Amino acid sequence: MSTTARTDDRRYAATPVQKASLVVGVVFLLVGVAGFVPGLTTDVDSLQFAGHMSGAMLLGVFQVSVLHNLVHLLFGVAGVALARSASSSRSYLIVGGVVYLVLWIYGLFFGDHAGSSNFVPLNQADNWLHLGLAVGMVALGLLLGRRRTVTRSTGPVGSTGSAPRTRG
């Protein structure tokens, strides 16, 4: 008799997709913390809560705000927490990638414009990073998150588990 088991392993970060979710989550946590650290972020004293007017720049390149950093931290916590199962890791990577794709599109239209519709500090570097994150996260979720099955057999193929019957 054969049984099929899903590899939605419940061991923490056991599968490749779970490891990817964990790594992406840890990177987001590091980026979220780095956004508050003077030296890693220039002009921390001009860090705004939200909006495009924040003058703080992570690594001197990526415009950040308090809200932006908090979102990175939450995204990181989610990635680490969801690494506990393959299906939640896959969902985190794919849905997170789609969120970053939407953020990239948002940045194309509103990134350089003042006004109430621009509540996220974005510059061209942010926009291209968001596109890269979108493609990378979706690709990881789709490629590493494919369901695999393991077939275990207690006897020859087609066997019912009992000794074969012979006529004679």
Side-chain angles (χ1 to χ4, degrees):
M1 181 160 90
S2 67
T3 60
T4 304
R6 286 179 30 201
T7 58
D8 188 18
D9 201 326
R10 294 292 175 180
R11 291 178 300 140
Y12 188 75
T15 66
V17 73
Q18 288 171 277
K19 287 179 175 90
S21 175
L22 177 62
V23 168
V24 169
V26 167
V27 168
F28 275 112
L29 285 171
L30 292 172
V31 168
V33 169
F36 293 111
V37 177
L40 293 175
T41 300
T42 58
D43 300 321
V44 174
D45 55 331
S46 68
L47 190 66
Q48 304 263 326
F49 179 76
H52 68 285
M53 299 304 290
S54 182
M57 303 285 276
L58 178 60
L59 304 175
V61 177
F62 304 103
Q63 193 176 11
V64 293
S65 68
V66 173
L67 180 61
H68 204 157
N69 292 335
L70 292 175
V71 168
H72 286 143
L73 289 169
L74 290 173
F75 221 77
V77 168
V80 170
L82 294 172
R84 73 178 181 272
S85 80
S87 63
S88 63
S89 294
R90 180 179 190 272
S91 295
Y92 166 76
L93 291 167
I94 293 172
V95 171
V98 169
V99 167
Y100 272 96
L101 183 63
V102 169
L103 193 55
W104 172 67
I105 293 168
Y106 171 86
L108 292 178
F109 289 101
F110 299 107
D112 294 329
H113 304 295
S116 61
S117 62
N118 188 1
F119 61 94
V120 180
L122 299 170
N123 59 21
Q124 287 300 319
D126 290 304
N127 289 340
W128 291 111
L129 178 62
H130 292 155
L131 177 61
L133 285 169
V135 170
M137 290 176 73
V138 169
L140 285 171
L142 292 175
L143 296 174
L144 298 178
R146 288 187 267 182
R147 294 196 187 270
R148 297 181 184 129
T149 57
V150 176
T151 303
R152 296 185 188 121
S153 178
T154 57
V157 175
S159 171
T160 60
S162 59
R165 296 182 186 207
T166 57
R167 291 194 156 195

